[in-house]
Amino acid sequence: RVPAPAPVAPAQPLHIPPPVAPEARRSSPFGKMPARRLALVGVALAVALAATALVARGKGDAATRPDGPSALVVIGDLDGPDPVLALAVREALRAELVNTSGVSLISDQGIRELKTLTRLPTDAPLRGSALLTLANRSGAHVAIAGTVVPVGEGAQVVLELFDPSSTTPLRTFTERPVDGPAALAAVDRLARLIGRTVSRAPRDTLVRPLPAVTTSSLAAHKSYALARQTAALGRRHDAIAPAERAVTHDSTFVLAHY
C-alpha cells in the first residue's frame, strides 16, 4: 500500500517594503545646493584647511620638539650684487640654524606654499614687506633679512632680525670676512649668535656642535647652493651639473653628495 503524500503548506507571499516617499527621505544639507555653489564651497574649505594646517605645522613643530618650545624663524632672500654669493650665504645660514637647539625654521617648501596662499609668485624674491607679510602670516617669531656685498676676495655680510608682528628691527649682525674660507666661518659665527639671540631652549655653554657646512671652499658651497635651489624648483636634471661642480671643488664636502 502506497502512503499518501504529506500535505504541502501554501506558499507565503514575499514581503516587499513600500517605496519611501521622496519627502520622507532624509534630506542632505547640500541636497538642493547647485553644483557650482557646492564646488565653490568645497574649494573654500580646502583652502582654509590648507592655510590652517600650514600655520599649525610651523607652530606645532615649535611646540613639540624634544628640546622644548622653539622660536619659529623664516629666512628671507639675501640681497646683493652677486646673487649666487648671496644664495650661498643664505644656504650656509640655513644649514647652521636648522641644527640649532630652540630654533625651528620654516622650510623652503613651506615658504613656497605660503607664497601661493598670499598670492606671491613662487619665484619672487622674499624681501622687504613681502618677507614680513609672509612671516606674520606663518606665525613666525623672527624674520631674517640681509645683504651680502663682495669686497675684494671677501665680503661684507649684514643680517637683520625683525619682529614680523610689529615690523620692528630687533638686532643687526655684521661680518667682514677677507676671503672665501673666512666667509663660511663668518656665517657659522653669525648663525651661532642668531641662535643664541632667538633660541628659547636652555643653552649648555660647554657644548659646541660641529659646523653643518663641512667645507672651507666657498666655490663648492656656491655650486651646492645653486644645485639645491634648482632642484627645489623641480628642475632636478639641471641641478646635476652644479652639484657635480661642488664635488669637484671639494670631494669631502658631505652635503654636496646628497
Side-chain angles (χ1 to χ4, degrees):
R1 185 178 181 183
V2 180
V8 178
Q12 298 293 327
L14 294 176
H15 177 71
I16 301 176
V20 180
E23 62 273 9
R25 295 173 184 167
R26 181 176 296 178
S27 60
S28 167
F30 301 106
K32 297 183 179 180
M33 183 176 291
R36 180 178 177 84
R37 184 178 299 177
L38 181 59
L40 291 176
V41 170
V43 171
L45 287 174
V47 172
L49 288 173
T52 303
L54 186 60
V55 174
R57 182 193 310 172
K59 293 184 177 180
D61 290 346
T64 59
R65 284 182 52 159
D67 53 7
S70 299
L72 189 60
V73 177
V74 57
I75 306 176
D77 293 318
L78 305 184
D79 200 4
D82 185 344
V84 179
L85 176 61
L87 176 65
V89 171
R90 181 190 182 277
E91 177 59 29
L93 180 64
R94 184 204 65 80
E96 297 294 347
L97 285 180
V98 80
N99 293 320
T100 300
S101 177
V103 176
S104 291
L105 289 184
I106 297 179
S107 67
D108 291 341
Q109 177 63 30
I111 288 176
R112 286 192 293 272
E113 293 176 2
L114 284 166
K115 281 182 174 181
T116 300
L117 289 175
T118 54
R119 297 184 179 181
L120 286 174
T122 54
D123 57 348
L126 192 58
R127 303 188 186 107
S129 60
L131 169 62
L132 296 177
T133 299
L134 185 143
N136 191 40
R137 177 73 177 269
S138 70
H141 304 101
V142 177
I144 301 178
T147 58
V148 183
V149 179
V151 180
E153 295 295 324
Q156 175 175 282
V157 181
V158 179
L159 299 178
E160 295 180 281
L161 308 186
F162 288 89
D163 177 2
S165 61
S166 62
T167 69
T168 303
L170 301 175
R171 192 168 174 182
T172 301
F173 301 90
T174 304
E175 285 275 358
R176 295 180 178 85
V178 296
D179 56 21
L184 293 177
V187 174
D188 176 60
R189 288 193 299 272
L190 288 171
R192 295 180 192 278
L193 287 172
I194 292 174
R196 287 198 293 269
T197 301
V198 305
S199 174
R200 299 185 172 189
R203 189 172 71 254
D204 187 350
T205 57
L206 299 178
V207 176
R208 181 179 175 82
L210 294 173
V213 179
T214 58
T215 182
S216 60
S217 171
L218 181 59
H221 193 72
K222 289 171 69 174
S223 296
Y224 165 74
L226 188 59
R228 190 175 181 277
Q229 181 192 56
T230 305
L233 294 174
R235 295 154 44 202
R236 295 184 176 274
H237 182 76
D238 296 335
I240 295 176
E244 289 178 342
R245 287 199 301 271
V247 176
T248 301
H249 287 302
D250 184 358
S251 61
T252 64
F253 184 17
V254 177
L255 290 178
H257 289 274
Y258 294 91

